[in-house]
């Protein structure tokens, strides 16, 4: 899937290092992001996510290493990069005594858009993010969620190719997070944007990211699609399957399960079976059970999600 | 490439406009503007009153420069215009600059502006240029209004020579306020809290207006020569005192304005009797007046530039992340 796309990544980072005195914030980072994908940069606070983002934008100078954003080096020509990249910082600030519209128009004008066009574009973006009713209200009165929406509009106003979001869901309530992530997803698909977002909140990001990178103590410890990542990281761990069948079929089921070679252990609890297996056998198992005319009430493979990945790297992964 | 350049200029003009709009809308500026306007009107009024009651002596070499006298005369109840500006100008400069960078940093708008495709120094330059335009407009209109009002009241227009000197006086005033502006911008880059930068700037201003003269008095007492000392020693003492006085920016400004507004002044330091012998008490041409206070004016401009360069240096190396 990544083959030809990755030959020409839109963001390309090689051996990127940033030191503050003795402290290494980013340590020899290699990263490729293909055009059009949503990439999640995950990691705990202080892992170096924001520093990496600032370096991608040319707002901070790397100690060493190479960066290419749309084949442009942000260290040498930050302005060209900033023209193509929309950036939503964590805790974005607006001029509080200005209206939402005025704030957007200012950003548009700084991107060289003349006033009338800037106004038009701002109004249509405000509508896209659902703030058309408060366009003339002062930003000082906005809630956190509204600010984030305005921030998204602000980063989209230059018609960017790449959108970089730093902790976009921080401080939003669960409903707000859901709205906001789906807004990001919708807008990025509509505008065919490449999105790089950083977060330490797993669940929220898991849903919309095509690929994630795990960032811990300045190092990228793993990257890939979430499911891939899980199967890669946990391939040596037994698959955990939970099966529930009709009460009348329990004995027959037990016999079938015993005959399957891939199954390592079976724990039976009345009509519920907990099965440990070497490989992914759910479909075999289902086929077998259906062939024997067993009524399946529930068949579930415990998927290793992003949280397991996270926990894995937080608990023991650091030394690897 | 030309499009690029135009784009850059456009973005810069937008930033400057934003600065000017911010200043004009802000309460601190409106209040200070009111104070400056009121005191200036008051001092001009007392000057005109004083001039009305005691018309300048025809023997006075400055009598021909009536309009200049408006800015330097006082009837004793209030200080004259140029002294007032020397006193309030720094406050105006500090008020326009003390929160220039750190308030945007704390409000997290700095990162947002700098992530737009503009050069990093545009931000700081716009802060300076915006405030400078506000100051310039303020003083130009203030002095033009005064001249206009005086023309209406007394019935004759200023001469070309007076206009020249008033123009230079306006310029010098703007440079003087710009110095304080730059100093406070420097502190706003250096200090994270707006309160700190404001207090440090005001402390420096207070030091030079209140404590520096006291220190100078103490030094003067200590190094004062014997009244029977030789003339050379007394001259040396005088020069030394003048030199240390001129470390205060307000002294530089007042030296410069005195030279510009009082054309008969020939020297800012002590003069020998021999030097005055044979001199005709007549006003100096503008260029000669400028020459007398040249070093003071250059020093003031240099201080302004040094402050700006320092804030530029600090700002360009500042980490944006909050």
């Amino acid at each position: 899937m990544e083959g030809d796309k990755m030959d020409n990544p839109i963001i390309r980072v090689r051996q990127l290092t940033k030191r503050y005195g003795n402290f290494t914030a980013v340590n020899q980072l290699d990263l490729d992001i293909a055009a059009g994908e949503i990439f999640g940069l995950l990691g705990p606070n202080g892992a170096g996510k924001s520093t990496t983002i600032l370096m991608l934008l040319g707002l901070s100078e790397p100690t060493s290493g190479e960066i290419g954003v749309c084949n442009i080096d942000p260290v040498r020509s930050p302005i060209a990069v900033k023209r193509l990249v929309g950036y939503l910082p964590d805790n974005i600030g607006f001029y509080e005594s200005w209206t939402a519209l005025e704030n957007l128009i200012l950003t548009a004008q700084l991107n060289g858009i003349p006033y009338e066009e800037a106004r038009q574009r701002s109004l249509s973006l405000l509508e896209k993010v659902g703030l058309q009713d408060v366009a003339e209200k002062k930003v000082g009165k906005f809630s956190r969620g509204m600010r984030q929406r305005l921030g998204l509009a602000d980063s989209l106003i230059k018609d960017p190719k790449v959108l970089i979001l730093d902790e976009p869901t921080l401080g939003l309530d669960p409903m707000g997070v859901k709205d906001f992530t789906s807004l990001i997803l919708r807008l990025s698909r509509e505008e065919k944007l490449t999105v790089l977002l950083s977060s330490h909140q797993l669940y929220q990001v898991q849903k919309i990211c095509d690929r994630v990178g795990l960032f811990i103590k300045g190092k990228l410890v793993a990257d890939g699609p979430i499911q891939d990542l899980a199967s890669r990281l946990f391939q040596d761990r037994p698959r955990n399957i939970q099966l529930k069948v009709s009460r009348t079929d329990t004995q027959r089921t037990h016999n079938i399960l015993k005959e399957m070679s891939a199954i390592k252990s079976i724990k039976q609890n009345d009509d519920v079976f907990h099965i440990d297996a070497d490989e992914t056998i759910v479909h075999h198992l289902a086929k077998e059970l259906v062939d024997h005319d067993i009524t399946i009430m529930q068949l579930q493979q415990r998927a290793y999600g992003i949280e397991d990945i996270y926990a894995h790297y937080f608990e023991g992964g650091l030394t690897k | 490439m030309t499009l690029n350049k135009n784009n850059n200029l456009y973005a810069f003009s937008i930033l400057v406009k934003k600065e000017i709009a911010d200043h004009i809308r802000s309460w601190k500026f409106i209040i200070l503007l009111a104070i400056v306007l009121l005191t200036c009107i008051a001092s001009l009024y007392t000057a005109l009153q004083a001039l009305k009651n005691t018309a300048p002596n025809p023997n006075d070499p400055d009598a021909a420069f009536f309009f200049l006298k408006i800015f330097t005369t006082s009837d004793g109840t209030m200080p004259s215009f140029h002294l007032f500006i020397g006193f309030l100008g720094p406050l105006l400069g500090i008020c326009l600059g003390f929160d220039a960078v750190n308030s945007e940093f704390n409000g997290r708008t700095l990162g947002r502006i700098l992530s737009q495709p503009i050069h990093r120094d545009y931000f700081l330059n716009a802060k300076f240029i915006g405030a400078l335009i506000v100051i310039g407009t303020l003083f130009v209109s203030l002095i033009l209004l005064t001249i206009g009002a005086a023309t209406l009241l007394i019935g004759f227009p200023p001469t070309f020579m007076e206009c020249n000197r008033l123009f230079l006086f306006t310029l010098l005033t703007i440079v003087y306020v710009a110095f304080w502006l730059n100093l406070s911008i420097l502190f706003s880059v250096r200090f994270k809290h707006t309160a700190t930068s404001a207090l440090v700037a005001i402390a420096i201003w207070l030091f030079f207006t209140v404590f520096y003269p006291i220190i100078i008095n103490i030094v003067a007492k200590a190094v004062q020569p014997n009244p029977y000392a030789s003339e050379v020693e007394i001259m040396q003492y005088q020069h030394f005192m003048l030199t240390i006085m001129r470390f205060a920016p307000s002294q530089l400004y007042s030296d410069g304005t005195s030279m510009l507004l009082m054309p008969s002044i020939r020297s800012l330091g002590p003069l020998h009797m021999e030097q005055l012998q044979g001199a005709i008490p007549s006003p100096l041409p503008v260029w000669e007046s400028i020459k007398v206070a040249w070093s003071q004016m250059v020093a003031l401009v240099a201080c302004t530039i040094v402050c700006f360069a320092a804030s530029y240096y600090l700002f360009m190396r500042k980490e944006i992340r909050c």
Side-chain angles (χ1 to χ4, degrees), chain B residues 261-297:
Chain B
L261 295 178
M262 299 173 195
S264 60
I265 293 187
R266 312 220 140 187
S267 163
L268 290 162
L271 283 178
H272 275 291
M273 278 314 280
E274 300 95 78
Q275 284 174 301
L276 283 173
Q277 217 162 38
I280 304 159
S282 63
L284 292 178
V286 181
W287 184 236
E288 295 298 321
S289 285
I290 292 175
K291 272 191 202 160
V292 176
W294 181 246
S295 49
Q296 277 85 341
M297 295 188 207

Short mmCIF file of all heavy atoms in Angstrom, two decimals, chain B residues 261-297:
data_model
loop_
_atom_site.label_atom_id
_atom_site.label_comp_id
_atom_site.label_asym_id
_atom_site.label_seq_id
_atom_site.Cartn_x
_atom_site.Cartn_y
_atom_site.Cartn_z
N LEU B 261 15.35 75.47 19.68
CA LEU B 261 14.28 76.43 19.94
C LEU B 261 14.81 77.79 20.40
O LEU B 261 14.06 78.76 20.43
CB LEU B 261 13.31 75.87 20.99
CG LEU B 261 12.52 74.64 20.53
CD1 LEU B 261 11.62 74.14 21.63
CD2 LEU B 261 11.70 74.94 19.29
N MET B 262 16.07 77.88 20.80
CA MET B 262 16.62 79.17 21.22
C MET B 262 17.84 79.47 20.36
O MET B 262 18.97 79.11 20.69
CB MET B 262 17.02 79.12 22.69
CG MET B 262 15.85 78.83 23.59
SD MET B 262 16.43 78.59 25.27
CE MET B 262 15.01 77.85 26.01
N PRO B 263 17.60 80.13 19.25
CA PRO B 263 18.67 80.30 18.26
C PRO B 263 19.84 81.13 18.78
O PRO B 263 20.93 81.09 18.19
CB PRO B 263 17.98 81.05 17.11
CG PRO B 263 16.53 80.90 17.36
CD PRO B 263 16.33 80.71 18.81
N SER B 264 19.65 81.86 19.88
CA SER B 264 20.76 82.70 20.33
C SER B 264 21.79 81.94 21.15
O SER B 264 22.88 82.44 21.41
CB SER B 264 20.22 83.87 21.14
OG SER B 264 19.53 83.37 22.25
N ILE B 265 21.44 80.74 21.56
CA ILE B 265 22.40 79.96 22.37
C ILE B 265 23.59 79.56 21.50
O ILE B 265 23.43 79.10 20.37
CB ILE B 265 21.72 78.70 22.96
CG1 ILE B 265 20.66 79.12 23.98
CG2 ILE B 265 22.75 77.80 23.62
CD1 ILE B 265 20.07 77.96 24.73
N ARG B 266 24.77 79.77 22.05
CA ARG B 266 25.97 79.53 21.24
C ARG B 266 26.73 78.31 21.68
O ARG B 266 27.53 77.75 20.95
CB ARG B 266 26.91 80.72 21.35
CG ARG B 266 26.20 82.00 21.14
CD ARG B 266 27.03 82.92 20.35
NE ARG B 266 26.20 83.62 19.42
CZ ARG B 266 26.71 84.41 18.50
NH1 ARG B 266 28.00 84.53 18.39
NH2 ARG B 266 25.91 85.05 17.69
N SER B 267 26.52 77.94 22.94
CA SER B 267 27.26 76.78 23.42
C SER B 267 26.47 76.14 24.55
O SER B 267 25.71 76.82 25.24
CB SER B 267 28.63 77.21 23.94
OG SER B 267 29.16 76.18 24.75
N LEU B 268 26.64 74.85 24.68
CA LEU B 268 25.93 74.16 25.76
C LEU B 268 26.82 74.06 26.99
O LEU B 268 26.36 73.74 28.07
CB LEU B 268 25.52 72.77 25.29
CG LEU B 268 24.41 72.78 24.24
CD1 LEU B 268 24.34 71.46 23.52
CD2 LEU B 268 23.09 73.13 24.86
N GLY B 269 28.11 74.35 26.81
CA GLY B 269 29.02 74.26 27.95
C GLY B 269 29.45 75.65 28.37
O GLY B 269 28.92 76.66 27.90
N PRO B 270 30.39 75.73 29.30
CA PRO B 270 30.88 77.03 29.74
C PRO B 270 31.72 77.69 28.64
O PRO B 270 32.35 77.02 27.82
CB PRO B 270 31.75 76.68 30.96
CG PRO B 270 32.14 75.25 30.74
CD PRO B 270 31.04 74.61 29.98
N LEU B 271 31.67 79.01 28.62
CA LEU B 271 32.46 79.75 27.64
C LEU B 271 33.40 80.69 28.37
O LEU B 271 33.06 81.25 29.41
CB LEU B 271 31.53 80.57 26.73
CG LEU B 271 30.79 79.82 25.63
CD1 LEU B 271 29.90 80.78 24.88
CD2 LEU B 271 31.75 79.14 24.69
N HIS B 272 34.56 80.90 27.81
CA HIS B 272 35.50 81.89 28.34
C HIS B 272 35.01 83.29 27.98
O HIS B 272 34.31 83.45 26.98
CB HIS B 272 36.88 81.71 27.68
CG HIS B 272 37.69 80.68 28.37
ND1 HIS B 272 38.21 80.86 29.62
CD2 HIS B 272 38.07 79.45 27.95
CE1 HIS B 272 38.89 79.78 29.95
NE2 HIS B 272 38.82 78.91 28.96
N MET B 273 35.40 84.23 28.78
CA MET B 273 35.07 85.61 28.43
C MET B 273 35.68 85.97 27.08
O MET B 273 35.05 86.63 26.26
CB MET B 273 35.61 86.58 29.51
CG MET B 273 34.72 86.73 30.72
SD MET B 273 32.98 86.96 30.31
CE MET B 273 33.00 88.71 29.90
N GLU B 274 36.90 85.45 26.82
CA GLU B 274 37.57 85.79 25.56
C GLU B 274 36.76 85.29 24.37
O GLU B 274 36.72 85.89 23.32
CB GLU B 274 38.98 85.17 25.48
CG GLU B 274 39.93 85.60 26.56
CD GLU B 274 39.94 84.61 27.70
OE1 GLU B 274 40.58 83.56 27.56
OE2 GLU B 274 39.31 84.90 28.73
N GLN B 275 36.13 84.14 24.59
CA GLN B 275 35.37 83.55 23.49
C GLN B 275 34.16 84.42 23.13
O GLN B 275 33.71 84.42 22.00
CB GLN B 275 34.91 82.14 23.84
CG GLN B 275 36.02 81.11 23.77
CD GLN B 275 35.57 79.77 24.26
OE1 GLN B 275 35.14 79.66 25.42
NE2 GLN B 275 35.66 78.77 23.42
N LEU B 276 33.64 85.09 24.16
CA LEU B 276 32.45 85.90 23.91
C LEU B 276 32.79 87.30 23.41
O LEU B 276 31.94 88.00 22.88
CB LEU B 276 31.63 86.03 25.20
CG LEU B 276 30.81 84.78 25.56
CD1 LEU B 276 30.18 84.95 26.91
CD2 LEU B 276 29.77 84.54 24.48
N GLN B 277 34.04 87.67 23.63
CA GLN B 277 34.44 89.03 23.27
C GLN B 277 34.23 89.29 21.78
O GLN B 277 34.64 88.49 20.93
CB GLN B 277 35.91 89.24 23.61
CG GLN B 277 36.18 90.62 24.11
CD GLN B 277 37.50 90.67 24.85
OE1 GLN B 277 38.45 90.00 24.42
NE2 GLN B 277 37.58 91.42 25.92
N GLY B 278 33.54 90.38 21.50
CA GLY B 278 33.35 90.75 20.11
C GLY B 278 32.19 90.02 19.44
O GLY B 278 31.87 90.30 18.29
N ALA B 279 31.55 89.10 20.17
CA ALA B 279 30.43 88.37 19.57
C ALA B 279 29.21 89.29 19.51
O ALA B 279 28.92 90.00 20.46
CB ALA B 279 30.11 87.14 20.37
N ILE B 280 28.52 89.27 18.38
CA ILE B 280 27.30 90.07 18.27
C ILE B 280 26.15 89.19 18.76
O ILE B 280 26.00 88.05 18.29
CB ILE B 280 27.05 90.47 16.81
CG1 ILE B 280 28.27 91.21 16.28
CG2 ILE B 280 25.80 91.33 16.68
CD1 ILE B 280 28.35 91.23 14.77
N PRO B 281 25.35 89.65 19.73
CA PRO B 281 24.26 88.81 20.23
C PRO B 281 23.16 88.65 19.19
O PRO B 281 22.17 89.37 19.19
CB PRO B 281 23.77 89.57 21.47
CG PRO B 281 24.19 90.97 21.25
CD PRO B 281 25.42 90.95 20.41
N SER B 282 23.38 87.74 18.26
CA SER B 282 22.38 87.53 17.21
C SER B 282 22.10 86.03 17.11
O SER B 282 22.92 85.22 17.53
CB SER B 282 22.94 88.03 15.87
OG SER B 282 24.07 87.27 15.54
N PRO B 283 20.95 85.69 16.56
CA PRO B 283 20.64 84.26 16.45
C PRO B 283 21.57 83.56 15.48
O PRO B 283 22.05 84.16 14.51
CB PRO B 283 19.21 84.27 15.94
CG PRO B 283 19.01 85.59 15.31
CD PRO B 283 19.87 86.55 16.07
N LEU B 284 21.77 82.25 15.76
CA LEU B 284 22.61 81.46 14.86
C LEU B 284 21.75 80.93 13.72
O LEU B 284 20.55 80.71 13.89
CB LEU B 284 23.19 80.26 15.62
CG LEU B 284 24.20 80.53 16.72
CD1 LEU B 284 24.59 79.21 17.37
CD2 LEU B 284 25.43 81.21 16.13
N PRO B 285 22.35 80.67 12.56
CA PRO B 285 21.60 79.96 11.51
C PRO B 285 21.30 78.53 11.99
O PRO B 285 21.98 78.01 12.88
CB PRO B 285 22.56 79.94 10.33
CG PRO B 285 23.67 80.85 10.68
CD PRO B 285 23.70 81.03 12.14
N VAL B 286 20.30 77.92 11.37
CA VAL B 286 19.86 76.58 11.81
C VAL B 286 21.03 75.61 11.84
O VAL B 286 21.25 74.90 12.82
CB VAL B 286 18.78 76.02 10.85
CG1 VAL B 286 18.34 74.66 11.33
CG2 VAL B 286 17.61 76.95 10.75
N TRP B 287 21.79 75.62 10.76
CA TRP B 287 22.85 74.62 10.64
C TRP B 287 23.88 74.79 11.75
O TRP B 287 24.38 73.79 12.31
CB TRP B 287 23.50 74.73 9.26
CG TRP B 287 24.52 73.67 9.03
CD1 TRP B 287 25.82 73.87 8.69
CD2 TRP B 287 24.34 72.26 9.14
NE1 TRP B 287 26.46 72.67 8.58
CE2 TRP B 287 25.57 71.66 8.86
CE3 TRP B 287 23.25 71.45 9.46
CZ2 TRP B 287 25.76 70.30 8.89
CZ3 TRP B 287 23.44 70.09 9.49
CH2 TRP B 287 24.67 69.52 9.19
N GLU B 288 24.17 76.06 12.13
CA GLU B 288 25.13 76.29 13.21
C GLU B 288 24.58 75.79 14.53
O GLU B 288 25.30 75.18 15.34
CB GLU B 288 25.44 77.79 13.31
CG GLU B 288 26.15 78.37 12.10
CD GLU B 288 27.50 77.71 11.87
OE1 GLU B 288 28.22 77.44 12.84
OE2 GLU B 288 27.82 77.44 10.69
N SER B 289 23.28 75.99 14.75
CA SER B 289 22.65 75.49 15.99
C SER B 289 22.75 73.98 16.06
O SER B 289 23.05 73.40 17.10
CB SER B 289 21.18 75.90 16.03
OG SER B 289 21.07 77.25 16.35
N ILE B 290 22.48 73.36 14.91
CA ILE B 290 22.54 71.90 14.88
C ILE B 290 23.95 71.44 15.23
O ILE B 290 24.14 70.49 16.00
CB ILE B 290 22.13 71.36 13.50
CG1 ILE B 290 20.65 71.63 13.26
CG2 ILE B 290 22.40 69.87 13.39
CD1 ILE B 290 20.19 71.24 11.88
N LYS B 291 24.93 72.15 14.70
CA LYS B 291 26.32 71.74 14.94
C LYS B 291 26.65 71.75 16.42
O LYS B 291 27.38 70.88 16.90
CB LYS B 291 27.26 72.68 14.19
CG LYS B 291 27.54 72.26 12.77
CD LYS B 291 28.68 73.11 12.26
CE LYS B 291 28.72 73.19 10.77
NZ LYS B 291 29.49 74.35 10.32
N VAL B 292 26.10 72.75 17.14
CA VAL B 292 26.41 72.84 18.56
C VAL B 292 25.92 71.60 19.31
O VAL B 292 26.60 71.04 20.16
CB VAL B 292 25.79 74.12 19.16
CG1 VAL B 292 26.04 74.16 20.66
CG2 VAL B 292 26.36 75.35 18.49
N ALA B 293 24.71 71.16 18.95
CA ALA B 293 24.14 70.01 19.68
C ALA B 293 24.25 68.73 18.89
O ALA B 293 23.53 67.76 19.16
CB ALA B 293 22.68 70.30 20.02
N TRP B 294 25.13 68.74 17.89
CA TRP B 294 25.24 67.59 16.99
C TRP B 294 25.50 66.28 17.74
O TRP B 294 24.82 65.29 17.54
CB TRP B 294 26.35 67.87 15.98
CG TRP B 294 26.55 66.77 14.97
CD1 TRP B 294 27.63 65.99 14.83
CD2 TRP B 294 25.61 66.36 13.98
NE1 TRP B 294 27.44 65.11 13.80
CE2 TRP B 294 26.20 65.30 13.26
CE3 TRP B 294 24.32 66.76 13.62
CZ2 TRP B 294 25.56 64.65 12.22
CZ3 TRP B 294 23.68 66.12 12.59
CH2 TRP B 294 24.30 65.08 11.89
N SER B 295 26.49 66.32 18.63
CA SER B 295 26.85 65.06 19.30
C SER B 295 25.70 64.55 20.16
O SER B 295 25.47 63.33 20.22
CB SER B 295 28.11 65.26 20.15
OG SER B 295 27.96 66.40 20.96
N GLN B 296 24.95 65.47 20.77
CA GLN B 296 23.81 65.03 21.58
C GLN B 296 22.77 64.32 20.72
O GLN B 296 22.24 63.27 21.09
CB GLN B 296 23.15 66.23 22.27
CG GLN B 296 23.81 66.65 23.54
CD GLN B 296 24.98 67.58 23.31
OE1 GLN B 296 25.53 67.65 22.20
NE2 GLN B 296 25.39 68.27 24.34
N MET B 297 22.48 64.93 19.57
CA MET B 297 21.45 64.34 18.71
C MET B 297 21.90 62.98 18.18
O MET B 297 21.13 62.03 18.16
CB MET B 297 21.14 65.27 17.54
CG MET B 297 20.52 66.57 18.00
SD MET B 297 19.96 67.52 16.60
CE MET B 297 20.05 69.17 17.25
#
